[in-house]
């Protein structure tokens, strides 16, 4: 007697992933401002930045390994193990006293993150019944929901309670791993069943789609240009600066506001605007326009810090502008990558790992540069130097994103 198979629910499994990501994001937001601020006070801005540098260096290494060896990043048990690696490495940071040791364990945590996140995106894209733009906008929404929760809790946690903080972080990553494992196994089973049942139909549809693309001249066989992927690295290099810049700037110039305030307010903005904005980007042209708007928001954010960085209200407004940049840029770039995967012969999992590689490379360089530029501004007695350089760079990228960056994508 055969038991009836449990029906597969794409929406339910996608929301399991979103909840897990939100929990992990809450853990990250809980520890990051505290550990960066404390390390900056005890050592220097550069040493504080080295923690995020190590974290993102690990992500770069992990995403590179994932693109070379997909089994390390795409199997459900591999993704789960990588999530647990990140959580355990972060928990160990509660017992470390030296900045170099914190950076080393941050690197291990980043390795787990760099291997697990491309797998997460790959499994989301296996939910063919759901719209890609909605998938990525809801993923960004879940991340920001978690960040708001974490930043709010961080504002109430005493700085000397880091062991409690990192215990909470470990618990959130264990829950994240459990939710992901359940969803990924269900998605993998559904994919295997669907592949067997729809083999002939897919062959016919693929042939028709191939002929249609051939007639339209839209078949893409080339890889995405390195310069296009580097543009994503540059965006996140600039966008991550305030994670270091605000954490070091606030205690020195605007101590009247808690160090976590700009972060949770910015995350609230993303929560309210992410999905409505993403729904408006229904065509490829719209997504390219949103990339340019993202850089424009970064430019406005940094200019505000140059002219009014000594005022707490200006710091908060700058963080909100920065969050709008991420609202416009992040999901639109994800959708462009996914569309290229659909229109080419490249493996989706490999493309996701490649995207995370360049994004992590940008945040790695940006996090270290944030600490170095802050220390340089202090040494030269030019408090706005770091923000001035960032505003000039973001203006240049905003101009390039009007024509140059879209052309790179379309030629692939």
């Amino acid at each position: 007697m055969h038991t009836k198979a449990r029906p597969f629910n794409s929406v339910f499994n996608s929301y399991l992933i979103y909840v897990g990501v939100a929990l992990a994001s809450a853990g990250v937001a809980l520890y990051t401002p505290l550990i960066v601020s404390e390390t900056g006070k005890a050592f220097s801005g550069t040493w504080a930045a080295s923690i995020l540098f190590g974290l993102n260096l690990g992500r770069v290494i992990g995403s590179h390994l994932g693109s070379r060896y997909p089994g390390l990043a795409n199997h459900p048990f591999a993704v789960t193990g990588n999530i647990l690696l990140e959580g355990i490495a972060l928990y160990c940071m509660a017992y470390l006293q030296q900045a170099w040791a914190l950076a080393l364990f941050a690197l291990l945590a980043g390795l787990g993150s760099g291997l697990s996140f491309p797998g997460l995106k790959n499994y989301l894209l296996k939910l063919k019944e759901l719209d890609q733009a909605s998938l990525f906008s809801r993923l960004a929404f879940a991340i920001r929901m978690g960040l708001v929760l974490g930043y709010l809790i961080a504002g109430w946690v005493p700085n000397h309670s880091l062991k409690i903080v990192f215990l909470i972080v470990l618990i959130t990553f264990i829950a994240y791993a459990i939710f992901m494992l359940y969803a990924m196994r269900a998605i993998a089973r559904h994919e295997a069943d669907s592949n067997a049942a729809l083999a002939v139909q897919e062959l016919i549809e693929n042939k028709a789609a191939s002929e249609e693309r051939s007639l339209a001249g839209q078949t893409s066989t080339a890889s995405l240009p390195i310069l296009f992927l580097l543009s994503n690295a540059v965006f996140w290099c600039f966008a991550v600066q305030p994670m270091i810049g605000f954490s070091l700037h606030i205690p020195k110039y605007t101590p009247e506001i808690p160090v976590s305030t700009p972060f949770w307010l910015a995350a609230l903005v993303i929560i309210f605007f992410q999905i409505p904005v993403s729904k408006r980007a229904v065509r490829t042209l719209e997504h390219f326009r949103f990339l340019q708007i993202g850089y424009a928001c970064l430019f406005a954010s940094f200019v505000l810090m140059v002219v009014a960085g000594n005022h707490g209200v200006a710091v908060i407004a700058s963080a909100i502008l920065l969050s709008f940049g991420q609202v416009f840029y992040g999901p639109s770039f994800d959708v462009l990558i996914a569309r290229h995967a659909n229109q080419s012969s490249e493996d989706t999992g490999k493309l996701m790992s490649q995207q995370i590689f360049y994004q992590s490379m940008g945040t790695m360089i940006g996090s270290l540069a944030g600490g170095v530029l802050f220390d340089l501004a202090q040494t030269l007695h030019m408090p706005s130097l770091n923000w001035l350089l960032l505003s000039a760079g973001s203006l240049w990228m905003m101009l390039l994103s009007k024509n140059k960056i879209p052309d790179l994508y379309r030629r692939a």
Side-chain angles (χ1 to χ4, degrees), residues 53-135:
F53 175 82
L55 183 67
N56 288 294
L57 176 59
R59 287 173 178 165
V60 168
I61 296 171
S63 55
H64 176 69
L65 290 174
S67 65
R68 293 287 301 274
Y69 308 102
L72 293 175
N74 294 330
H75 192 280
F77 289 113
V79 176
T80 304
N82 292 325
I83 291 171
L84 293 176
L85 170 63
E86 183 177 2
I88 292 170
L90 291 175
Y91 178 67
C92 291
M93 291 172 66
Y95 298 90
L96 304 175
Q97 303 298 324
Q98 299 298 321
W100 66 265
L102 291 169
L104 178 61
F105 274 79
L107 187 147
L108 290 175
L111 180 64
S113 177
L115 284 168
S116 65
F117 209 69
L120 178 152
K121 287 187 172 182
N122 188 34
Y123 275 92
L124 276 178
L125 288 174
K126 291 178 184 292
L127 300 174
K128 304 294 186 182
E129 303 88 346
L130 305 181
D131 177 65
Q132 289 177 344
S134 296
L135 283 172

Side-chain angles (χ1 to χ4, degrees), residues 59-398:
R59 287 173 178 165
V60 168
I61 296 171
S63 55
H64 176 69
L65 290 174
S67 65
R68 293 287 301 274
Y69 308 102
L72 293 175
N74 294 330
H75 192 280
F77 289 113
V79 176
T80 304
N82 292 325
I83 291 171
L84 293 176
L85 170 63
E86 183 177 2
I88 292 170
L90 291 175
Y91 178 67
C92 291
M93 291 172 66
Y95 298 90
L96 304 175
Q97 303 298 324
Q98 299 298 321
W100 66 265
L102 291 169
L104 178 61
F105 274 79
L107 187 147
L108 290 175
L111 180 64
S113 177
L115 284 168
S116 65
F117 209 69
L120 178 152
K121 287 187 172 182
N122 188 34
Y123 275 92
L124 276 178
L125 288 174
K126 291 178 184 292
L127 300 174
K128 304 294 186 182
E129 303 88 346
L130 305 181
D131 177 65
Q132 289 177 344
S134 296
L135 283 172
F136 288 122
S137 63
R138 289 192 175 98
L139 178 62
F141 178 86
I143 291 172
R144 298 302 164 179
M145 280 290 292
L147 291 177
V148 168
L149 178 61
Y151 289 139
L152 286 173
I153 296 174
W156 294 92
V157 175
N159 292 344
H160 62 271
S161 303
L162 287 180
K163 290 184 179 179
I164 296 176
V165 167
F166 281 102
L167 177 60
I168 296 172
V169 171
L170 177 61
I171 293 172
T172 63
F173 273 87
I174 291 173
Y176 175 29
I178 292 172
F179 287 145
M180 278 297 302
L181 181 61
Y182 184 94
M184 288 185 298
R185 295 189 69 184
I187 293 170
R189 286 195 300 267
H190 175 69
E191 183 182 41
D193 294 342
S194 298
N195 287 344
L198 301 176
V200 176
Q201 181 181 346
E202 286 181 356
L203 180 62
I204 296 172
E205 290 177 351
N206 288 340
K207 182 178 179 181
S210 177
E211 291 174 352
E212 181 180 348
R213 288 194 298 267
S214 178
L215 290 173
Q218 296 178 347
T219 302
S220 174
T221 58
S223 299
L224 283 171
I226 297 299
L227 287 176
F228 178 77
L229 295 169
L230 282 174
S231 70
N232 187 40
V234 172
F235 177 88
W236 291 106
C237 177
F238 292 160
V240 77
Q241 298 291 326
M243 179 62 70
I244 291 294
F246 288 156
S247 297
L248 299 173
H249 180 96
I250 290 172
K252 187 173 182 64
Y253 296 106
T254 58
E256 67 271 16
I257 60 174
V259 71
S260 63
T261 300
F263 299 108
W264 66 260
L265 283 175
L268 275 178
V269 170
I270 295 179
I271 286 173
F272 285 118
F273 289 96
Q274 184 70 81
I275 292 178
V277 167
S278 296
K279 284 181 177 179
R280 295 185 64 86
V282 294
R283 297 188 303 274
T284 301
L285 178 62
E286 299 285 352
H287 287 294
F288 285 125
R289 186 177 301 157
F290 281 14
L291 298 189
Q292 188 177 23
I293 294 173
Y295 277 116
C297 291
L298 295 194
F299 172 69
S301 172
F302 298 142
V303 167
L304 185 57
M305 289 299 295
V306 171
V307 300
N310 289 332
H311 302 281
V313 174
V315 173
I316 292 173
S318 175
I320 290 173
L321 282 169
L322 189 83
S323 68
F324 272 110
Q326 296 178 45
V327 163
F328 283 99
Y329 187 94
S332 285
F333 195 90
D334 285 339
V335 171
L336 288 171
I337 294 290
R339 286 183 177 176
H340 177 76
N342 289 341
Q343 296 168 3
S344 71
S345 58
E346 289 195 78
D347 177 72
T348 303
K350 181 180 178 180
L351 275 174
M352 291 297 113
S353 292
Q354 196 176 37
Q355 180 202 358
I356 295 298
F357 173 83
Y358 284 97
Q359 180 174 322
S360 298
M361 185 170 64
T363 52
M364 175 187 70
I365 296 171
S367 58
L368 183 62
V372 172
L373 288 176
F374 182 85
D375 288 345
L376 179 63
Q378 304 309 303
T379 301
L380 298 178
H381 304 289
M382 299 174 62
S384 299
L385 176 63
N386 52 335
W387 305 111
L388 181 62
L389 293 174
L390 289 169
S391 61
S394 56
L395 176 61
W396 176 247
M397 291 304 299
M398 181 178 69

